[in-house]
């Protein structure tokens, strides 16, 4: 392979680069943003895919975000690649804030947080160690799911509008650029036989 590595990276170095990019996070964000803009699809399909991926990131079902994003993108006639890129909203840097916000919103919606009372702490490690996975449903997963729906819808709607406007502008600017280059090269589509 011409541009391949001489020595394949091991899993530790790939994990380190995924957690802390070699350059910086802004460059990685720009790379994925440009990649999303260049997808060959309608602005609605790309924006719906990104919105589906962002919404899936607000659910507490770790490991199922891609599947949920693909299902939602399929239902919304969105692009699957854009849905996969949209799940990047939930990443190791943003997950603590997302989890705290969804749990706080869920406990407020369910009325679990009484005025002035602190919630009873839950030892998740011992519950999971003892195989009591269903025991974390009421104190943790249920509030996160209930709170994740409105917060996920807000973020998804915001990203839908932002992405649709950006993709529409990018695609129109790109088509004008290609049209001007075609005219400059002497190709005129109006006079072709």
């Amino acid at each position: 392979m011409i541009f391949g590595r001489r020595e394949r990276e091991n899993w530790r170095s790939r994990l380190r680069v995924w957690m802390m990019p070699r350059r910086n996070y802004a460059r990685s964000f720009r790379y994925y943003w440009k990649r999303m803009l260049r997808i060959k699809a309608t602005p609605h399909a790309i924006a719906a895919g990104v919105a589906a991926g962002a919404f899936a990131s607000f659910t507490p079902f770790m490991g199922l975000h891609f599947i949920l994003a693909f299902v939602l993108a399929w239902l919304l006639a969105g692009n699957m690649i854009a849905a996969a890129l949209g799940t990047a909203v939930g990443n190791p840097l943003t997950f603590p804030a997302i989890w705290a916000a969804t749990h706080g919103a869920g406990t407020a919606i369910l009325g679990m947080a009484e005025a002035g009372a602190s919630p009873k702490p839950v030892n998740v490690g011992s519950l999971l160690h003892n195989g009591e996975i269903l025991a974390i449903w009421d104190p943790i997963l249920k509030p996160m799911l209930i709170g994740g729906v409105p917060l996920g819808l807000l973020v998804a709607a915001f990203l839908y509008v932002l992405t649709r406007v950006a993709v529409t502008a990018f695609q129109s600017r790109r088509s004008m650029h290609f049209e001007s280059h075609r005219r400059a090269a002497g190709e005129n589509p109006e006079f072709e036989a």
Side-chain angles (χ1 to χ4, degrees), residues 11 27 31 36 42 47 67 98-99 109 122 129 135 140 142-143 158 168 174 185:
W11 68 271
R27 182 177 172 152
Y31 169 75
M36 183 201 50
T42 64
I67 296 169
I98 289 173
W99 292 337
I109 291 171
V122 178
H129 180 70
I140 296 173
K142 185 177 176 182
F158 173 74
T168 302
R174 191 172 189 185

Side-chain angles (χ1 to χ4, degrees), residues 84-148:
L85 291 174
T87 59
V89 167
N91 58 60
L93 293 177
T94 60
F95 272 138
I98 289 173
W99 292 337
T102 57
H103 191 268
T107 54
I109 291 171
L110 293 172
M112 294 170 66
E114 298 159 5
S118 61
K120 180 182 151 192
V122 178
N123 191 349
V124 178
S126 68
L127 291 175
L128 293 177
H129 180 70
N130 296 331
E132 300 176 28
I133 296 174
L134 293 178
I136 64 171
W137 172 255
D138 279 335
I140 296 173
L141 293 179
K142 185 177 176 182
M144 286 178 74
L145 182 62
I146 299 295

